[in-house]
Amino acid sequence: MPTVEHIQESIATQLAATTQTGIALLPIRRRDVGDFIGYCGLIVGRATVEEPEIAYELFRRAHARGYATEAARAVLDAAIATGRTRLWSTVRTWNAPSFRVLEKLGFARDHVSTDDRGELVWLTCVLP
Ligand SMILES: CC(C)(COP(=O)(O)OP(=O)(O)OC[C@H]1O[C@@H](n2cnc3c(N)ncnc32)[C@H](O)[C@@H]1OP(=O)(O)O)[C@@H](O)C(=O)NCCC(=O)NCCS
């Protein structure tokens, strides 16, 4: 688990990046309850601001109810509205739920790279 200080630093870095790029990670709230259950959005990550990465993370208690897919679809639509034509995602090989979310959104595997944490699968989605 990362430390609270590490997460605070990474949130500050993300917010600073948003002022430069105009893309962001956004909170996911359930309409009926209004509670915060995770985030989803676009980041430059390992890609570019023109063809950014989609990213998401939800609390465990909110998993497996379709929330990540619903949120990611909304982000995809927003990316289309900005005129973007392609998105990327990088996923560790063990992350079956994330692969499934991307599959449901129409992402396809492009290539695999390796870093100090092991293999990383690159998936891409051409936007209409
Ligand atoms: C990835 C993550 C955001 C998915 O959130 P979620 O709200 O549970 O996703 P959804 O419910 O929209 O869809 C999950 C899909 O994966 C499937 N799934 C879950 N566990 C699975 C497994 N072990 N093997 C195969 N499929 C699996 C679910 O059945 C569902 O597919 P279905 O709709 O066809 O049944 C969530 O697991 C998470 O926060 N993980 C930790 C952070 C993370 O890994 N982020 C992505 C980094 S690349």
Side-chain angles (χ1 to χ4, degrees), residues 31-88:
R31 278 200 194 93
D32 51 351
V33 196
D35 59 337
F36 169 78
I37 55 167
Y39 65 78
C40 181
L42 299 178
I43 55 169
V44 172
R46 301 176 181 90
T48 63
V49 72
E50 293 80 17
E51 295 187 5
E53 282 197 59
I54 193 163
Y56 36 68
E57 184 168 7
L58 273 69
F59 288 135
R60 278 194 191 148
R61 63 179 164 79
H63 285 186
R65 297 188 207 177
Y67 293 143
T69 307
E70 183 179 341
R73 281 218 174 93
V75 167
L76 233 69
D77 288 344
I80 293 166
T82 68
R84 285 185 169 79
T85 54
R86 182 189 287 273
L87 296 182
W88 291 91

